[in-house]
Amino acid sequence: MPPVENTAVVEEPRKYDYDLIVVGGGSGGLAASKRAADLGAKVAVFDFVKPTPIGTTWGLGGTCVNVGCVPKKLMHHGALLKQHINDAKSYGWKVGEKETHVWGELVEKVQNHIGSQNFGFRVSLREKSVQYHNAYATFVDQHTVNAVDKRGREKTYTSENFIIAVGMRPNYPDIPGAKEYAITSDDIFSLGYAPGKTVVVGASYISLECGGFLKGLGFDVTIMVRSILLRGFDQECAERVGDYMKEEGIEFMRGFVPTKITQIEPGTPPKLKIEAKNTKTGEMVEIECNTVLFAIGRTACTESLNLEKIGVQVNPKTAKIVVSEAEQSSVENIYAIGDVIEGKLELTPVAIQAGQLLANRLFGNSATLMDYVNVPTTVFTPLEYGCCGYSEEEAREKFGKDNIDVFHNLFQPLEWVVSEKPGACYAKLVCKIDDNRIVGYHVVAPNAGEMTQGFALALRLGAKKEDFDALNGIHPTNAEVFTMLDITKSSGKELVASGCGGGA
Ligand code: FAD
Ligand code: NA7
């Protein structure tokens, strides 16, 4: 008779303090740490926010909740309300002739919401027995980090595995006055005074979104664009977003870069002067304003992690961590997720899902990898732009320019007809000719974010043009335009905005 095996789990003494240390308590880090703890791992999270040059700092939760998606969407909504107030008059509402907006009240409400989120994150970590350290972590070796808290106290911690989820921070140009007098998206959502006349530098989605809501809230806005709008996005849609912003009264300075910022007069807001140079002609211009906001790109926070010493490969050009499809770095027990990894989309839901799937693989006997393809996103400009899959340019490059056709149309939301709003919205499906598959979905319209989410599922499931055609529309909505797109770009047919909620 074979000996009876003792099946009781024997806790081996732990070799390290933790099974998992997560560096960075943002979207990705919190998701990964909570999932790992759910799966029985002993987990710690380190999160520390270095103040901006003007001293702005914030609580647990990372970029999205504190200085990104959340305050941005709330301010975008605040700005849209002004449009709704104007529209209301066309619908018979009698509203005051001159509405005013109090910046401080909006900031207070937004910050209150953020504060409650910060508190909620701490509670949920505690409930899941994840140890939270408000300290800045740096690697000592592949199993050890040194953590320094805000009082300068240092302590080392060891772990079997690490996930680096340190995100990115905004760039400043190397010009006089940049850090002394300008701000970035890290400052705007908690700015203690109304920003006044603002020059936003950059043409990224962050720039257009910030410029858009500031104008909507009543400030004079100029956007300084070095080259194109929304690099990486479908350029036809990007231009339509820009055209609508121009109609809203936002000024665009195309082909200019800033060269110097000086303070004319201190104050809240101060009086500033920004000097700029035309990139082609060399022409110099000066603009007086109250706020300069840089949105000229973001850099991954890898510089002081000591990664070179422990052998974690970083792309020197982007400062991003190079990882495998399983988000493993060049050091086997060190993983990275979210904005800090090379070549992937910088979006909150991507960071969260990647974090959860990674924790499942590390502690839950799963092999499921993150799918970075067909991730939908939306630019929350005054007229929103939602997309999923390839831009027209990318699709032509990837699948061959003769293997792509575009089905598109202009449309006027039914609601705009009554309020006699000028302009038009735009819908576009990028279609692969050989198999009729839709590889790009693009919409420039109100609530594009809400429209895009559902259609992204269709792209994920490999929908073909005939599937869109067979789909019944919901009438009268804007989204129904996608069930009746029959003009191809190759036909050269002129687009004329049709009404009644999307082309009926
Ligand atoms: P983060 O959320 O940035 O978290 C990283 C954390 O690590 C931070 O708290 C940081 O302080 C901390 N940290 C860094 N180094 C260390 C260290 N050595 N030790 C301890 N802690 C450290 N995404 C969307 O999906 N939708 C949107 O609408 C959207 N809007 C945005 C608007 C703006 C203005 C910005 C800036 C971003 C926006 N994003 C949006 C992007 C989104 O915020 C990021 O993709 C997301 O936050 C990335 O999550 P993460 O976990 O990689 O990093
Ligand atoms: P992006 O998307 O990297 O865009 C940076 C923008 O700033 C872009 O329009 C650049 O123009 C412009 N830029 C860059 N440097 C300068 C200088 N020195 N002067 C003027 N304009 C400049 O940045 P974001 O911060 O919005 O986003 C970072 C990522 O976060 C982004 O990929 C999202 O997915 C999330 P260019 O087109 O290069 O001429």
Side-chain angles (χ1 to χ4, degrees), residues 410-447:
L410 296 169
F411 64 99
Q412 250 222 330
L414 178 60
E415 299 80 3
W416 285 16
V417 180
V418 171
S419 50
E420 293 172 26
K421 235 181 180 155
C425 300
Y426 181 65
K428 176 182 211 173
L429 289 177
V430 181
C431 183
K432 218 155 128 262
I433 291 170
D434 55 5
D435 59 5
N436 224 7
R437 208 157 54 83
I438 301 300
V439 292
Y441 164 99
H442 302 268
V443 62
V444 182
N447 298 310

Side-chain angles (χ1 to χ4, degrees), residues 363-405:
F363 303 104
N365 210 10
S366 160
T368 307
L369 296 171
M370 173 71 191
D371 181 359
Y372 290 96
V373 177
N374 283 332
V375 173
T377 187
T378 288
V379 181
F380 293 95
T381 30
L383 192 58
E384 295 178 9
Y385 165 34
C387 57
C388 181
Y390 295 94
S391 66
E392 185 180 336
E393 297 87 344
E394 284 168 343
R396 288 191 194 281
E397 199 173 319
K398 179 158 177 81
F399 302 110
K401 63 179 181 2
D402 299 329
N403 190 19
I404 289 294
D405 209 349

Side-chain angles (χ1 to χ4, degrees), residues 23-29 46-49 62-64 67-69 72 135-137 165-167 185 205-206 298 305 338-339 346-349 351 380:
V23 184
S27 308
F46 291 79
D47 190 64
F48 190 87
V49 178
T63 303
C64 172
V67 288
C69 336
K72 178 275 298 287
Y136 193 84
V166 292
S185 55
Y205 84 83
I206 294 172
R298 297 167 60 80
L305 283 177
D339 285 5
E346 295 142 358
L347 293 167
T348 277
F380 293 95

Side-chain angles (χ1 to χ4, degrees), residues 141-463:
D141 61 44
Q142 89 176 75
H143 286 287
T144 314
V145 285
N146 182 47
V148 184
D149 72 12
K150 60 173 181 276
R151 295 207 189 106
R153 289 178 302 206
E154 287 191 38
K155 202 169 166 195
T156 57
Y157 301 84
T158 61
S159 178
E160 175 89 46
N161 297 291
F162 289 85
I163 297 179
I164 302 174
V166 292
M168 303 168 92
R169 291 294 288 269
N171 297 341
Y172 288 80
D174 189 13
I175 59 168
K179 287 195 175 165
E180 291 89 331
Y181 305 123
I183 62 168
T184 68
S185 55
D186 279 358
D187 303 296
I188 188 71
F189 305 110
S190 57
L191 199 67
Y193 53 84
K197 181 176 175 187
T198 302
V199 174
V200 183
V201 183
S204 63
Y205 84 83
I206 294 172
S207 159
L208 300 194
E209 289 180 340
C210 290
F213 73 67
L214 288 174
K215 178 68 192 174
L217 294 173
F219 304 106
D220 204 339
V221 172
T222 299
I223 299 187
M224 193 182 288
V225 179
R226 179 166 71 180
S227 56
I228 58 170
L229 303 184
L230 296 176
R231 184 176 294 284
F233 289 87
D234 188 280
Q235 280 304 295
E236 190 177 11
C237 294
E239 285 302 322
R240 290 184 185 278
V241 165
D243 289 346
Y244 187 89
M245 291 175 75
K246 269 186 241 158
E247 272 171 35
E248 293 260 290
I250 293 171
E251 197 169 318
F252 282 85
M253 284 175 69
R254 303 287 289 249
F256 279 90
V257 288
T259 53
K260 189 177 179 184
I261 302 169
T262 40
Q263 191 181 67
I264 301 170
E265 206 178 290
T268 50
K271 233 188 206 177
L272 304 176
K273 182 174 79 181
I274 176 166
E275 294 170 47
K277 186 177 164 183
N278 188 298
T279 52
K280 287 205 183 97
T281 63
E283 178 202 355
M284 294 294 299
V285 292
E286 292 180 5
I287 311 170
E288 282 190 17
C289 61
N290 303 107
T291 297
V292 174
L293 189 152
F294 286 117
I296 58 165
R298 297 167 60 80
T299 300
C301 303
T302 50
E303 201 190 36
S304 36
L305 283 177
N306 229 0
L307 295 179
E308 203 176 316
K309 185 179 165 207
I310 60 165
V312 170
Q313 195 194 340
V314 170
N315 179 342
K317 280 197 190 132
T318 59
K320 292 203 169 199
I321 298 175
V322 180
V323 291
S324 70
E325 59 172 10
E327 284 101 17
Q328 190 173 34
S329 78
S330 50
V331 176
E332 62 169 359
N333 66 319
I334 301 180
Y335 299 79
I337 53 166
D339 285 5
V340 76
I341 64 174
E342 178 70 19
K344 298 291 189 284
L345 289 160
E346 295 142 358
L347 293 167
T348 277
V350 172
I352 291 175
Q353 197 171 29
Q356 290 170 339
L357 292 173
L358 173 56
N360 288 351
R361 294 195 301 276
L362 287 174
F363 303 104
N365 210 10
S366 160
T368 307
L369 296 171
M370 173 71 191
D371 181 359
Y372 290 96
V373 177
N374 283 332
V375 173
T377 187
T378 288
V379 181
F380 293 95
T381 30
L383 192 58
E384 295 178 9
Y385 165 34
C387 57
C388 181
Y390 295 94
S391 66
E392 185 180 336
E393 297 87 344
E394 284 168 343
R396 288 191 194 281
E397 199 173 319
K398 179 158 177 81
F399 302 110
K401 63 179 181 2
D402 299 329
N403 190 19
I404 289 294
D405 209 349
V406 165
F407 292 82
H408 63 165
N409 211 347
L410 296 169
F411 64 99
Q412 250 222 330
L414 178 60
E415 299 80 3
W416 285 16
V417 180
V418 171
S419 50
E420 293 172 26
K421 235 181 180 155
C425 300
Y426 181 65
K428 176 182 211 173
L429 289 177
V430 181
C431 183
K432 218 155 128 262
I433 291 170
D434 55 5
D435 59 5
N436 224 7
R437 208 157 54 83
I438 301 300
V439 292
Y441 164 99
H442 302 268
V443 62
V444 182
N447 298 310
E450 304 300 339
M451 287 170 75
T452 304
Q453 183 69 77
F455 281 117
L457 182 63
L459 263 71
R460 213 183 154 68
L461 297 175

